[in-house]
Amino acid sequence: MMTKSTLLDAIAGTNRGLLATETQKQAILAAIASLEDFNPTPRPLAASYLLEGDWRLLYTTSKALLNLDRFPFCKLGQIYQCIRVETTSVYNIAEIYGLLSLEGLVSVAAKFEPVSERRVQVKFQRSIIGLQKLIDYKSPATFIQQIESGKKFTALDFPIQSDQQQGWLDITYIDNDLRIGRGNEGSVFVLSKA
């Protein structure tokens, strides 16, 4: 049986998947699949106390996320997925670092709806892209408080047509500090409680 530490060791040094070789990717996917077989929470959506909170991305195969590092003169910082169960809200936040110490932010706010014991349907609603300083970004938690209070930001801040931007996510493993998910585009996500 693979353990969490086996998976975390396999992920180490891959910079969330950006630096993973094909051999490493195969080993990581095998470790993920093995861990999923022993999910201690077979009904993840019923365990809202585990789901709730701010999660930091450790590894993904999502090209959309990994391509954020491909912008000229930019480096991808931390990526968070913050879940607010009570309001069925999810916030994806990517910190970007660039030239001249410019710090940016790419964020998407969405609503989720449980459709099975482990699958949620996700409808994206709002995107915010801008400089951390102009947005007054301090942390994911304070940023989310500002969003939920209805604040309009000095940034590219626009609604997303939800009929065009939606998907689903299966939560295939969750415990107190690790979550694994698989998305509708075949992407895998490994996150730790922030």
Side-chain angles (χ1 to χ4, degrees):
M1 176 183 119
M2 295 266 186
T3 62
K4 277 179 18 178
S5 61
T6 305
L7 174 60
L8 296 175
D9 288 347
I11 288 171
T14 66
N15 189 11
R16 289 157 298 200
L18 283 165
L19 304 177
T21 64
E22 281 307 313
T23 304
Q24 286 175 307
K25 289 176 188 177
Q26 293 308 315
I28 290 166
L29 290 175
I32 287 170
S34 180
L35 204 54
E36 288 170 331
D37 288 342
F38 296 96
N39 183 5
T41 316
R43 296 174 52 229
L45 294 175
S48 57
Y49 64 96
L50 290 177
L51 201 52
E52 175 77 26
D54 299 344
W55 295 84
R56 186 172 55 88
L57 184 71
L58 300 178
Y59 179 83
T60 188
T61 58
S62 167
K63 289 184 179 16
L65 284 177
L66 296 177
N67 282 340
L68 290 175
D69 196 62
R70 307 261 190 275
F71 285 117
F73 312 112
C74 291
K75 279 272 142 266
L76 190 55
Q78 294 297 337
I79 299 175
Y80 298 95
Q81 185 174 73
C82 307
I83 299 173
R84 303 298 183 259
V85 174
E86 192 173 310
T87 59
T88 63
S89 299
V90 61
Y91 301 91
N92 295 327
I93 300 167
E95 299 171 351
I96 310 280
Y97 298 93
L99 279 179
L100 308 171
S101 300
L102 290 178
E103 299 173 333
L105 193 73
V106 177
S107 172
V108 178
K111 288 289 189 182
F112 68 88
E113 177 186 349
V115 292
S116 75
E117 292 180 337
R118 67 181 212 167
R119 179 171 288 183
V120 292
Q121 188 75 34
V122 180
K123 292 187 179 173
F124 299 99
Q125 297 187 316
R126 182 178 179 189
S127 185
I128 301 166
I129 302 167
L131 295 175
Q132 291 181 27
K133 191 175 247 176
L134 293 177
I135 293 172
D136 194 27
Y137 177 80
K138 306 269 189 281
S139 70
T142 57
F143 180 59
I144 291 166
Q145 286 174 339
Q146 292 174 314
I147 292 172
E148 290 181 341
S149 73
K151 179 175 180 176
K152 263 307 226 181
F153 295 92
T154 308
L156 289 172
D157 184 350
F158 55 91
I160 297 173
Q161 300 298 329
S162 62
D163 57 331
Q164 297 165 346
Q165 289 291 323
Q166 56 184 329
W168 54 260
L169 178 74
D170 283 341
I171 300 162
T172 56
Y173 179 97
I174 190 168
D175 64 19
N176 289 325
D177 59 3
L178 187 75
R179 178 166 57 93
I180 300 172
R182 292 181 180 265
N184 57 291
E185 294 179 348
S187 299
V188 175
F189 305 88
V190 179
L191 305 102
S192 67
K193 259 298 168 53

